[in-house]
Amino acid sequence: MRTVWRLPSQELLQDSGKEWLLNVLANCDDHMRDCTIMLIWRIWSLRSGLTHEKDDPPVTATSDFLQSYMNSLNLCGRFSTDDILKGKMPVVRDAIVEVPAPPTGLHWPRPPLGWAALSVDGAFMQEDGSAAAGMILRDHEGSVIFAAYRCIFNCNDALEAELHAIMQGMALALQHSALPIVVQSDSSTALGALTGDSLSRSAYGHLVLEIKRHLQDREFVPSKLKREQNRVAHRLALYSRTESTTAVWLGRSLPCIEELVPLDCNPIIME
């Protein structure tokens, strides 16, 4: 299926512990997530058939079936039932799911020589109020100085979770490194707490005040990332929120991200 669909790498599609599949899906874009779920569903369907002594269809038949099924779903999303029944739509070949070109330049951007990069992310679930922060500090070679995740209690929204991640990550960076720090986040609003006062008089004022205090002890420079460049911190936060756990590891990766860090650091992207 990789010849026609863009799927997660083989390294990621391995059981690395509880909730491993949810972590993989959370780091996919919408198209890749749909294709991955569809493929897993088909694999389970074939396994069920074999259990009941049905014949195993050829791989080409499964590939054609999945592509046809995905095309049908795409048509349902683009046209009404009446249009489909009356044929008022492009022919099926126009609706073939094409494999998007892989994104370029979306790896983690390493810091300059003599600096460390603190990648942070906050996770928040509106339905149950669960929240967590993920943080990882790496040097210019991509070596892990520390990786951490922490549960956040009494969190009100996603922005508060992002600010907690920045504040707690900065505090850990001050403890475990003497280098100046590039603070990397995919939330431009939260990063604004390092350079402006727009949030100082908001409900997050206490977090902003703590961030400002950290700025007095070390040089911290904000850097806005895209979500695709912040996958490690995102997975740390997601793992902490779903598992309700807190941990700090020095000098190496936490088990839930150990397979992702090497992929994230290759190739080198200097910004």
Side-chain angles (χ1 to χ4, degrees):
M1 292 306 298
R2 291 187 186 279
T3 61
V4 291
W5 284 357
R6 189 162 53 85
L7 299 168
S9 65
Q10 191 64 38
E11 293 83 357
L12 292 179
L13 292 176
Q14 298 181 15
D15 188 347
S16 57
K18 189 176 180 181
E19 306 288 358
W20 71 273
L21 182 55
L22 290 178
N23 287 329
V24 170
L25 295 176
N27 285 282
C28 296
D29 57 36
D30 291 342
H31 173 76
M32 183 184 291
R33 187 181 301 112
D34 290 344
C35 290
T36 303
I37 293 174
M38 184 73 73
L39 180 60
I40 292 173
W41 166 75
R42 180 58 176 168
I43 292 172
W44 180 259
S45 177
L46 291 174
R47 179 186 181 278
S48 179
L50 291 173
T51 301
H52 292 86
E53 299 183 351
K54 293 184 179 180
D55 292 335
D56 188 10
V59 174
T60 54
T62 289
S63 177
D64 291 342
F65 170 79
L66 287 174
Q67 292 180 74
S68 176
Y69 206 120
M70 185 65 80
N71 289 340
S72 298
L73 291 177
N74 287 336
L75 288 175
C76 291
R78 295 166 54 192
F79 303 96
S80 68
T81 302
D82 289 340
D83 287 340
I84 295 176
L85 292 176
K86 295 176 182 178
K88 295 182 178 180
M89 57 190 182
V91 294
V92 173
R93 63 173 177 271
D94 292 334
I96 292 176
V97 178
E98 297 182 356
V99 180
T104 58
L106 294 181
H107 288 268
W108 167 69
R110 304 182 184 215
L113 178 65
W115 286 66
L118 173 67
S119 302
V120 301
D121 193 45
F124 176 76
M125 178 63 71
Q126 182 69 45
E127 287 73 14
D128 59 9
S130 60
M135 302 146 280
I136 181 169
L137 186 68
R138 289 170 282 189
D139 62 20
H140 73 281
E141 295 181 340
S143 299
V144 176
I145 300 174
F146 75 75
Y149 49 67
R150 289 186 174 179
C151 281
I152 304 172
F153 300 100
N154 302 317
C155 186
N156 295 309
D157 54 31
L159 178 55
E160 185 173 355
E162 297 286 356
L163 289 169
H164 265 288
I166 291 176
M167 183 269 289
Q168 295 183 25
M170 292 172 69
L172 286 171
L174 288 171
Q175 295 179 38
H176 301 296
S177 175
L179 298 173
I181 308 293
V182 177
V183 182
Q184 301 174 331
S185 170
D186 53 44
S187 172
S188 56
T189 304
L191 284 174
L194 279 74
T195 57
D197 296 319
S198 60
L199 297 175
S200 297
R201 296 183 180 181
S202 69
Y204 320 107
H206 61 294
L207 296 174
V208 176
L209 180 61
E210 195 65 28
I211 289 172
K212 298 291 188 184
R213 287 174 179 168
H214 293 329
L215 292 174
Q216 299 173 8
D217 300 323
R218 186 74 54 80
E219 185 175 5
F220 289 94
V221 176
S223 176
K224 172 69 168 62
L225 299 181
K226 294 182 178 180
R227 172 58 63 88
E228 295 87 346
Q229 296 174 296
N230 204 27
R231 296 182 303 162
V232 176
H234 175 69
R235 183 180 294 191
L236 285 167
L238 181 64
Y239 183 85
S240 180
R241 187 187 63 76
T242 56
E243 298 297 318
S244 300
T245 186
T246 294
V248 178
W249 290 47
L250 302 180
R252 59 194 179 104
S253 305
L254 286 153
C256 65
I257 59 165
E258 60 186 359
E259 88 289 354
L260 183 57
V261 171
L263 296 174
D264 205 39
C265 295
N266 185 32
I268 296 177
I269 303 294
M270 299 296 291
E271 293 189 353

